[in-house]
Amino acid sequence: MKNFTATIPLKPAIPIIKIVGNSCNLRCGYCYYNGTDQSAGSVMSYELLEEFLAQYTKFFKGRLIFIWFGGEPLLAGLSFFRKIIDIQMKFVDKNQEIQNFIQTNATLISHKWASFLKQYKFRVGISLDGNEESHNQFRWTYNKKGSFEYAMRGLKILRECGIEPGIIQTITADNLKRSRDNFDFFTKVLGIKKWGMNIYNDIRHENKAMAGQNLTNDQLVSFLIEQIDLWLKKGDPELEIREIEDRICAIFGKIPKTCTLNGSCAGYFCIERDGKIYPCDKSSGRDELLLGDISKQPLIEILNGANRLVYAQKVAALPIECHSCQWQKVCNNGCTMQRSGNIDGKYYFCEAQKTVLAYLQSKLSELGYFIKRKEV
């Protein structure tokens, strides 16, 4: 075997697998792939899927995580997902544990789908932007109708089958005015205990339909401080908002779960339905960030190859001002895809990050009992 430069961490690099590519039954205004052809296209071939899983399970041991993503991954069909399970079982050994995650818009969820996901212990995430007005603002069907009704039906079916999905809420400038209402909708109407937020930021200004929807640093500060205050006022120890919990972990010197804060960008990779591999789903299709193609070269060569090494070095590079920042080890220069100029540039929300972290730290200092609870 060749000697490779180790660009992957010792733990398994987590694959984000886009089995249907950008294809989706919705046409959300803020989607990464808005402007591309999202009509139903080809699905990853069984042969490519089997080759990928064979190489991946051979190379990595221990607990393996697979994230099934899109587009809308359910478009692949239930029979395809049954094949996924068959292939995984074919290659997994006694020293490996498999955990499947799937991110879906929930509009295609049926009782058959929910039963399958429950049977094979999939962790399910669904996209839900808040109440009907907020959700329908940008989450549209192909004919520009709101998808709230269909997403809520999917959530209901999942719950009937014993699945409590995670929620991902996308925050745009227009939806800021409904942030308090959406907090109440999640906590009081739906009884949700955990959710995360994606902050819309088209830093390359490629999506003309969403002009004016990027949050500014000041808007993000106001929004997150409001969420922190609402969360503290709620006083529910079981209520976990990812963007708050991750910052608490970071403040206390623990490792946050999300790559936005924990500096683990190089611990993921995204494989497209045709075998091309990119650093993450947000970078898919960017030729300058292409790491390799599993249909043409072994996975180990891609993950330990020159392209990925250069990418990892750029991700780890810090702007000069980061070196003297008290929050450097907490922030890690934020999301790679939200850095100004290039992936080795400065995090766009740097100033907001510092302000919010300082605010949260001061609130936690006032509430010593809360700190003790977190350290137990």
Side-chain angles (χ1 to χ4, degrees):
M1 180 181 290
K2 296 179 181 179
N3 292 321
F4 296 104
T5 302
T7 64
I8 55 170
L10 293 178
K11 64 181 181 180
I14 298 174
I16 302 167
I17 309 166
K18 292 176 61 183
I19 48 179
V20 296
N22 301 343
S23 296
C24 190
N25 62 318
L26 298 186
R27 297 294 183 271
C28 301
Y30 53 60
C31 181
Y32 303 141
Y33 317 119
N34 185 289
T36 66
D37 182 8
Q38 291 189 273
S39 56
S42 61
V43 180
M44 181 182 286
S45 69
Y46 289 143
E47 293 76 17
L48 181 60
L49 176 67
E50 182 161 348
E51 181 61 31
F52 166 69
L53 290 176
Q55 292 189 43
Y56 185 83
T57 53
K58 181 180 180 180
F59 188 54
F60 292 117
K61 301 300 178 182
R63 181 170 182 260
L64 304 181
I65 294 175
F66 298 92
I67 301 175
W68 304 96
F69 209 76
E72 174 48 56
L74 296 192
L75 286 175
L78 191 51
S79 61
F80 189 93
F81 272 83
R82 294 191 187 282
K83 187 69 172 180
I84 288 173
I85 299 298
D86 290 342
I87 297 174
Q88 285 179 333
M89 293 303 100
K90 178 179 178 180
F91 295 113
V92 70
D93 64 34
K94 62 180 181 180
N95 297 316
Q96 292 171 306
E97 174 191 351
I98 286 179
Q99 177 66 74
N100 288 300
F101 288 72
I102 188 168
Q103 183 66 33
T104 172
N105 59 41
T107 63
L108 299 178
I109 292 291
S110 64
H111 282 91
K112 285 186 177 180
W113 265 115
S115 296
F116 168 83
L117 296 171
K118 178 70 173 179
Q119 179 182 357
Y120 292 103
K121 300 179 181 179
F122 274 69
R123 298 283 296 276
V124 181
I126 68 174
S127 301
L128 187 66
D129 288 349
N131 60 24
E132 184 170 5
E133 184 180 7
S134 295
H135 185 87
N136 286 344
Q137 179 92 34
F138 295 114
R139 296 196 64 80
W140 308 316
T141 63
Y142 68 93
N143 57 356
K144 291 293 182 76
K145 301 294 184 181
S147 62
F148 179 80
E149 176 186 351
Y150 308 109
M152 291 299 291
R153 181 190 63 194
L155 173 61
K156 181 175 182 291
I157 291 173
L158 288 170
R159 284 178 159 179
E160 287 174 350
C161 288
I163 298 174
E164 186 59 34
I167 303 294
I168 294 294
Q169 175 191 25
T170 297
I171 308 299
T172 59
D174 277 1
N175 271 337
L176 287 177
K177 59 181 177 290
R178 290 183 285 269
S179 59
R180 186 178 294 266
D181 291 340
N182 288 330
F183 183 95
D184 289 341
F185 176 74
F186 284 150
T187 58
K188 296 179 181 179
V189 178
L190 297 184
I192 292 172
K193 294 295 186 180
K194 294 183 181 181
W195 78 87
M197 303 164 184
N198 288 336
I199 307 303
Y200 181 75
N201 183 26
D202 177 21
I203 198 166
R204 293 157 62 90
H205 302 288
E206 295 175 322
N207 189 345
K208 306 305 180 184
M210 293 292 288
Q213 292 304 317
N214 283 356
L215 269 65
T216 65
N217 272 263
D218 287 344
Q219 286 175 319
L220 183 58
V221 168
S222 296
F223 169 72
L224 288 178
I225 284 178
E226 178 187 56
Q227 296 297 298
I228 290 168
D229 290 344
L230 289 169
W231 173 71
L232 288 171
K233 184 178 179 180
K234 189 75 175 176
D236 183 352
E238 295 182 356
L239 179 59
E240 294 184 12
I241 299 175
R242 185 185 66 188
E243 279 56 43
I244 298 175
E245 292 291 326
D246 271 2
R247 286 173 172 82
I248 290 175
C249 284
I251 288 170
F252 292 153
K254 299 179 180 180
I255 300 176
K257 294 179 181 179
T258 56
C259 53
T260 302
L261 286 178
N262 65 21
S264 68
C265 184
Y268 294 83
F269 65 92
C270 177
I271 177 169
E272 284 282 350
R273 64 184 172 194
D274 60 0
K276 291 180 179 178
I277 292 180
Y278 297 88
C280 77
D281 58 291
K282 295 178 183 178
S283 62
S284 281
R286 290 178 57 175
D287 292 341
E288 73 275 18
L289 295 179
L290 178 65
L291 301 180
D293 187 337
I294 197 174
S295 68
K296 299 177 181 178
Q297 61 193 127
L299 179 64
I300 187 173
E301 289 188 6
I302 298 172
L303 297 185
N304 283 317
N307 290 350
R308 193 155 183 259
L309 175 60
V310 170
Y311 177 80
Q313 290 172 336
K314 288 184 176 181
V315 167
L318 296 175
I320 294 176
E321 53 265 49
C322 287
H323 294 284
S324 58
C325 178
Q326 71 177 106
W327 302 112
Q328 185 269 311
K329 292 184 179 180
V330 173
C331 166
N332 291 293
N333 199 27
C335 176
T336 309
M337 294 296 115
Q338 292 187 342
R339 292 178 180 176
S340 299
N342 210 330
I343 58 175
D344 54 356
K346 181 180 177 181
Y347 182 43
Y348 178 84
F349 290 118
C350 171
E351 296 306 315
Q353 186 83 286
K354 290 189 286 189
T355 302
V356 172
L357 284 166
Y359 180 81
L360 181 57
Q361 185 182 57
S362 69
K363 298 300 281 188
L364 296 179
S365 295
E366 295 172 10
L367 303 169
Y369 75 92
F370 189 83
I371 294 177
K372 291 178 181 178
R373 178 181 72 84
K374 284 293 170 184
E375 291 180 333
V376 170

